[in-house]
Amino acid sequence: MAAVGSGGSTAAAGPGAVSAGALEPGTASAAHRRLKYISLAVLVVQNASLILSIRYARTLPGDRFFATTAVVMAEVLKGLTCLLLLFAQKRGNVKHLALFLHEAVLVRYVDTLKLAVPSLIYTLQNNLQYVAISNLPAATFQVTYQLKILTTALFSVLMLNRSLSRLQWASLLLLFTGVAIVQAQQAGGGGPRPLDQNPGAGLVAVVASCLSSGFAGVYFEKILKGSSGSVWLRNLQLGLFGTALGLVGLWWAEGTAVARRGFFFGYTPAVWGVVLNQAFGGLLVAVVVKYADNILKGFATSLSIVLSTVASIRLFGFHVDPLFALGAGLVIGAVYLYSLPRGAAKATASASASGPCTHQQPPGQPPPPKLSSHRGDLSTEPFLPKNCNEQMSGDPMPNKDVVFI
């Protein structure tokens, strides 16, 4: 498995591949560029396909599946996937895996209980997404859901004491303006609307989802950076809590109907596609996003909005008027501007916290050797800053929603 260091070079695990990479830096650089664009494609497809697939599954004629059961199934599949990854890390040794899980989950139960808070919020967020997408066009939801950038930024400033550049504050204002215009277009009509849709309920659901997304993401990042547990272990713990909390929510909201009609009532291949996308999409992006940077992530979000809009026109008869185009354009521009890295001078000036990134090189001294971002556990890398520039870029979390989207 390849590991990308802070300098962007690729170091393969095999001894022969290391020497080949050293002898052919151009080949390694080309491979890294390919991985970056593959990451971009994966992010675009995953971001757009999840929204479109949920919208498609919720508007199909016939029996409608229970959203609470889909949330539970996604948590179960996510947890099982992380369990298999941990099993692979232990080289298939069941005893070692059992001892590791006993120590990490049960002995350190206080550490495990910390995951109950983000797990509860993520479960709520996933259920709110179904409510929002059921009541809003896919393109409108995709644009409005970018408010999670604003909420994540605000929570990162409040909880992690991060600072944002003037450009990023301006982009957040631009983002809010664009979303407000899109919602004004939605409230004003914006074309034919199914009778069973409630745009007001959809707006409340998406705003609540953005608030929960921002808080849970920053809280989860704080936990990850304050402990030595791998991301797969943390996601397994989240999956355990998420499954339990999802079952409680199922019983409270739709327990009688599920008991009468069955857990998998209304499930079709499209519904299973949604469940698999939710379960594996975030984990997949968590693996590939370490090859991308903030600008590519901004491009991915912008392209996914465009793709969702085009697909909505084709699949759902969505009507794009000038007001929606203006609002969506402002949101796309805001996402791109927010993802731009700060200048080196501004980044250095803003580094006030203690740590390796606050060290300033004396003039006339040779720069220190670059340290690889590989810390012995590749599974933790996608959620941690790859270098000092990224840590001070103001990005609230390198890829918060790669965990649970």
Side-chain angles (χ1 to χ4, degrees):
M1 183 175 180
V4 178
S6 59
S9 60
T10 303
V18 172
S19 59
L23 292 174
E24 300 179 16
T27 303
S29 178
H32 181 66
R33 282 197 299 270
R34 284 196 298 271
L35 287 172
K36 288 179 68 173
Y37 290 114
I38 290 173
S39 300
L40 172 64
V42 170
L43 286 170
V44 170
V45 172
Q46 203 279 332
N47 284 342
S49 65
L50 178 61
I51 308 304
L52 292 170
S53 61
I54 292 178
R55 177 68 181 171
Y56 178 74
R58 296 297 282 177
T59 56
L60 282 175
D63 297 328
R64 177 175 287 190
F65 68 99
F66 299 111
T68 51
T69 64
V71 171
V72 171
M73 283 304 303
E75 295 295 333
V76 170
L77 292 176
K78 236 178 310 197
L80 290 176
T81 302
C82 292
L83 185 62
L84 289 175
L85 290 170
L86 291 172
F87 181 66
Q89 286 183 355
K90 299 302 177 182
R91 303 190 178 187
N93 192 311
V94 178
K95 182 179 179 181
H96 287 177
L97 177 63
L99 291 175
F100 169 75
L101 292 178
H102 178 267
E103 172 72 19
V105 178
L106 298 179
V107 176
R108 302 178 184 176
Y109 66 92
V110 176
D111 203 29
T112 301
L113 289 176
K114 292 179 182 179
L115 275 299
V117 174
S119 181
L120 173 62
I121 299 175
Y122 279 132
T123 303
L124 174 65
Q125 175 193 345
N126 290 335
N127 282 282
L128 287 172
Q129 281 189 351
Y130 281 98
V131 176
I133 298 175
S134 299
N135 290 282
L136 292 173
T140 303
F141 172 84
Q142 182 79 313
V143 172
T144 309
Y145 192 52
Q146 301 314 309
L147 281 176
K148 65 185 179 181
I149 298 175
L150 173 62
T151 60
T152 307
L154 294 178
F155 280 118
S156 69
V157 170
L158 295 175
M159 297 172 60
L160 300 178
N161 296 321
R162 285 188 176 155
S163 62
L164 303 180
S165 67
R166 292 181 180 178
L167 178 62
Q168 287 175 322
W169 282 115
S171 67
L172 292 176
L173 178 61
L174 194 66
L175 173 70
F176 183 82
T177 303
V179 170
I181 291 175
V182 169
Q183 285 302 319
Q185 177 268 351
Q186 179 69 26
R193 178 188 305 153
L195 296 177
D196 59 345
Q197 282 191 13
N198 186 341
L203 175 60
V204 171
V206 73
V207 171
S209 182
C210 289
L211 286 170
S212 62
S213 172
F215 176 80
V218 174
Y219 184 92
F220 187 43
E221 181 186 5
K222 196 170 184 178
I223 292 176
L224 284 174
K225 292 185 177 182
S227 64
S228 59
S230 72
V231 168
W232 307 131
L233 172 63
R234 295 308 182 201
N235 274 283
L236 174 61
Q237 292 169 315
L238 283 173
L240 293 174
F241 282 115
T243 301
L245 294 170
L247 289 172
V248 172
L250 183 156
W251 170 79
W252 180 73
E254 299 173 320
T256 304
V258 172
R260 185 175 69 253
R261 297 187 175 183
F263 188 91
F264 296 107
F265 174 79
Y267 271 58
T268 63
V271 177
W272 280 111
V274 169
V275 172
L276 292 174
N277 197 333
Q278 273 198 319
F280 302 128
L283 298 176
L284 175 62
V285 175
V287 174
V288 301
V289 78
K290 65 179 181 138
Y291 297 107
D293 53 25
N294 286 336
I295 297 179
L296 280 182
K297 284 183 279 185
F299 269 120
T301 302
S302 302
L303 289 174
S304 66
I305 293 175
V306 175
L307 181 60
S308 296
T309 303
V310 173
S312 295
I313 296 172
R314 181 76 174 177
L315 296 175
F316 310 120
F318 182 71
H319 174 67
V320 178
D321 60 14
L323 201 59
F324 178 88
L326 173 62
L330 290 177
V331 170
I332 291 173
V335 170
Y336 174 73
L337 290 176
Y338 188 87
S339 67
L340 290 176
R342 295 187 189 184
K346 290 183 180 180
T348 303
S350 66
S352 58
S354 61
C357 291
T358 61
H359 175 72
Q360 298 183 8
Q361 183 67 22
Q365 295 294 328
K370 291 182 178 180
L371 298 177
S372 171
S373 63
H374 177 58
R375 304 183 181 184
D377 187 354
L378 292 176
S379 60
T380 63
E381 292 182 7
F383 293 85
L384 298 177
K386 303 179 191 67
N387 49 50
C388 295
N389 291 333
E390 180 175 330
Q391 185 174 354
M392 296 183 292
S393 67
D395 190 5
M397 187 171 184
N399 193 26
K400 191 289 302 175
D401 274 337
V402 300
V403 185
F404 289 169
I405 299 180

